[in-house]
Amino acid sequence: MSSLGRLNKELSKNKFKIISWILGIQILFSVVYQGWKSFTSPTDVTSFTGEIFGAVIIGIFMLSIINERVYISDKFRLIPISDGALYLSNMLTSVLGLIYLIVSEIVIYTVSITVFPNKYDDLMVRSFNSTQQYLFKFEILVAFVLGIMVVWTGVTALHLLVNWVNDFLPFRSQSFVKVIVAVVVVWLFMIPFNFVTGNVLRIIGFNDLNNSFASVNRVMYSSMAMMIIWIAIFTIINLYLLNKKAETVN
């Protein structure tokens, strides 16, 4: 197997494993809780929405940690492949892990409300059952994935920028200096990001958004296009900084 193939396999295994653990614990907790509730409070109604939302947040957080660790690990940085291949493989497997998480949560939610029906989740499902609403939910899902990718690529850019700036400082080993540098870099980084994002949202009419589906759809597609552009910009920055900083930390 090629170096890239081994890398994809190893990264996928790590990320799918942690998501599988989260899903397993969630299912076990849900079954035990529902069983306990059926004996103690059979008339008590609980929505599964909060449980699903919490599991998704935890899964994204864990994927984010694994995603960033790749760039400072000897295990991956010393594989004989280019920085671009490493970066794209890491991002691709993270997105696949995110899709695995989301699809699994949809399945768990569907099974949960079927086995343990309740009026709150039933109302939510019945409120979004037209073709137009299903299309909109799919758009929200795509926008959600793109938004997470923006966060991941942006955090990587900040991480690499902070490390790159620290390399030029005489006291870079001191934790206090690292914190100050990180705060300054994040502040400078957010100025152009907020400026561009705010003006683009104003141009596409976010402030004039009304209740029509066409208006919401237009803003949704424009926002997704903007997120794709930011992902591309952050990717270029990350590939440049990865090429400049080849050393690993652990």
Side-chain angles (χ1 to χ4, degrees), residues 1 56 85 110 115 118 169 177 191 202 241:
M1 185 182 295
V56 169
T110 303
V115 178
N118 63 81
L169 299 177
V177 174
I191 291 176
R202 180 178 56 80
L241 292 174

Side-chain angles (χ1 to χ4, degrees), residues 124-177:
M124 179 176 294
V125 172
R126 286 189 289 105
S127 299
F128 295 94
N129 57 5
S130 70
T131 302
Q132 188 181 61
Q133 289 166 336
Y134 277 121
L135 175 61
F136 183 64
K137 285 192 287 187
F138 178 75
E139 293 172 358
I140 292 177
L141 182 61
V142 174
F144 177 74
V145 173
L146 288 175
I148 296 300
M149 291 180 66
V150 171
V151 173
W152 281 343
T153 53
V155 168
T156 299
L158 285 171
H159 174 203
L160 296 175
L161 276 171
V162 170
N163 289 343
W164 183 65
V165 172
N166 277 325
D167 287 341
F168 293 96
L169 299 177
F171 306 107
R172 58 180 179 270
S173 61
Q174 296 184 9
S175 299
F176 178 74
V177 174

Side-chain angles (χ1 to χ4, degrees), residues 23-96:
L23 295 173
I25 294 173
Q26 176 190 357
I27 293 173
L28 179 62
F29 170 80
S30 182
V31 170
V32 172
Y33 177 72
Q34 292 298 326
W36 174 79
K37 191 178 68 173
S38 64
F39 287 104
T40 58
S41 305
T43 59
D44 184 27
V45 178
T46 305
S47 173
F48 291 98
T49 304
E51 173 190 316
I52 299 299
F53 180 77
V56 169
I57 295 299
I58 293 173
I60 292 173
F61 179 74
M62 296 306 298
L63 283 174
S64 302
I65 294 176
I66 298 173
N67 191 69
E68 285 304 302
R69 285 181 176 175
V70 169
Y71 303 120
I72 59 173
S73 173
D74 292 335
K75 181 178 181 180
F76 300 110
R77 290 302 305 275
L78 298 182
I79 295 177
I81 60 173
S82 67
D83 292 326
L86 172 67
Y87 179 83
L88 294 177
S89 177
N90 189 34
M91 186 56 60
L92 174 62
T93 52
S94 292
V95 172
L96 291 177

Side-chain angles (χ1 to χ4, degrees), residues 226-246:
M226 182 179 66
M227 286 188 283
I228 291 173
I229 292 173
W230 276 121
I231 291 171
I233 292 173
F234 291 152
T235 296
I236 293 173
I237 294 173
N238 292 334
L239 291 177
Y240 174 80
L241 292 174
L242 279 173
N243 182 259
K244 288 291 184 181
K245 184 176 178 60

Side-chain angles (χ1 to χ4, degrees), residues 172-213:
R172 58 180 179 270
S173 61
Q174 296 184 9
S175 299
F176 178 74
V177 174
K178 290 182 178 180
V179 171
I180 296 299
V181 170
V183 171
V184 173
V185 170
V186 170
W187 178 68
L188 293 175
F189 187 86
M190 293 304 296
I191 291 176
F193 180 82
N194 290 333
F195 176 79
V196 173
T197 302
N199 281 279
V200 169
L201 289 176
R202 180 178 56 80
I203 292 173
I204 65 178
F206 188 82
N207 294 333
D208 301 322
L209 183 66
N210 55 49
N211 293 327
S212 69
F213 184 76

